[in-house]
Amino acid sequence: MAIRVPVKDMRGREVDTVELPSDIFEAPINVGLMHQAYVRQMANARLGTHKTKTRGEINRSKAKWYRQKGTGRARHGARTAPLFVGGGIAHGPQPRKYTKLMPKKMRRQALRSALSVKAAEGQIVLVDRLALERPKTREMADVLYRLAGDSSVLVLLAQANENVQRSVRNLDRAYFLRANYLNVRDLLKYDVVVIPLDALEVITGWLSKLPRSE
């Protein structure tokens, strides 16, 4: 059975209903696939610039510390050895890439699974339009409260909207994202997803598996 979701205006009043595409919002929920997409995203965000110096890179004298015999101490060649404070690090982290690959079909199916979870739990709110005449954090906070209550909110935008973006940016429990940059991490991080109708068209355009009419 198709999911019908009410469409609200910015005052929180229901003005219409929309049937969500079943191939996107009623897809089979694959927890393992969502986890794989999440791990890939977090791994690809790592810079991998961590670096420790080996004993060959320490700027200390390489001269033998004390004579080989007769001191009763262990034999050492230089103070750059990992054993000593200020010496090199043995087997420490070196720069590397954490990049993980994942086929596009799998990434998109993971998004469909995450959106289906949100739809099944009633955590998707459709709004006819989302626009402000000027950046105003208080006004945006009131709009999101009327739409989603006290829940944390992910706001999807069809295109750049400076007034909305600057208003959402100052809110602790809200985040904005372009619809074509939708990802599993942000979908699962926030309680409610607020989607204007033009952003829903963008999502449908690139996630739908059904042939689009010419």
Side-chain angles (χ1 to χ4, degrees):
M1 182 177 179
I3 299 178
R4 295 198 66 87
V5 176
V7 179
K8 301 181 179 180
D9 60 13
M10 293 177 58
R11 295 186 177 182
R13 299 175 300 187
E14 183 175 336
V15 295
D16 198 2
T17 59
V18 168
E19 185 175 309
L20 297 178
S22 58
D23 61 324
I24 299 177
F25 295 91
E26 292 181 272
I29 297 175
N30 190 328
V31 177
L33 191 61
M34 288 190 290
H35 178 264
Q36 183 178 347
Y38 177 83
V39 170
R40 169 191 170 272
Q41 184 177 351
M42 298 303 291
N44 290 356
R46 298 184 67 174
L47 296 179
T49 54
H50 40 49
K51 175 71 168 69
T52 56
K53 292 184 177 181
T54 65
R55 64 182 300 171
E57 297 169 319
I58 297 296
N59 186 20
R60 301 184 76 176
S61 172
K62 303 300 191 293
K64 190 170 177 59
W65 192 2
Y66 49 81
R67 69 180 191 269
Q68 179 84 346
K69 295 180 177 296
T71 65
R73 302 177 65 184
R75 298 169 291 185
H76 289 293
R79 302 188 74 164
T80 56
L83 181 65
F84 301 118
V85 174
I89 302 297
H91 311 297
Q94 298 294 318
R96 55 164 291 194
K97 290 184 178 180
Y98 287 91
T99 305
K100 293 180 180 293
L101 301 178
M102 188 175 181
K104 182 187 294 185
K105 287 185 178 181
M106 294 177 65
R107 299 199 304 267
R108 292 189 175 185
Q109 188 58 37
L111 281 175
R112 295 186 190 101
S113 292
L115 286 170
S116 297
V117 171
K118 291 293 185 183
E121 296 180 355
Q123 296 178 340
I124 289 181
V125 176
L126 297 184
V127 59
D128 57 353
R129 57 186 290 272
L130 196 61
L132 297 176
E133 295 181 358
R134 64 188 187 281
K136 197 70 174 178
T137 301
R138 179 60 180 271
E139 187 175 343
M140 179 56 66
D142 291 340
V143 170
L144 295 182
Y145 181 79
R146 288 191 288 266
L147 294 174
D150 290 326
S151 303
S152 59
V153 180
L154 174 64
V155 179
L156 298 183
L157 301 174
Q159 57 189 359
N161 187 324
E162 188 66 21
N163 291 341
V164 172
Q165 292 174 191
R166 291 177 61 184
S167 301
V168 173
R169 187 180 293 128
N170 290 330
L171 299 174
D172 292 335
R173 292 170 54 79
Y175 184 70
F176 69 88
L177 191 68
R178 292 278 292 276
N180 52 349
Y181 294 139
L182 190 61
N183 59 83
V184 171
R185 181 192 64 182
D186 290 325
L187 271 177
L188 301 180
K189 181 178 179 180
Y190 295 91
D191 297 331
V192 176
V193 184
V194 172
I195 310 177
L197 292 182
D198 54 354
L200 180 62
E201 293 180 2
V202 174
I203 294 172
T204 304
W206 67 282
L207 280 184
S208 178
K209 292 189 293 186
L210 300 177
R212 284 173 284 176
S213 59
E214 298 296 336

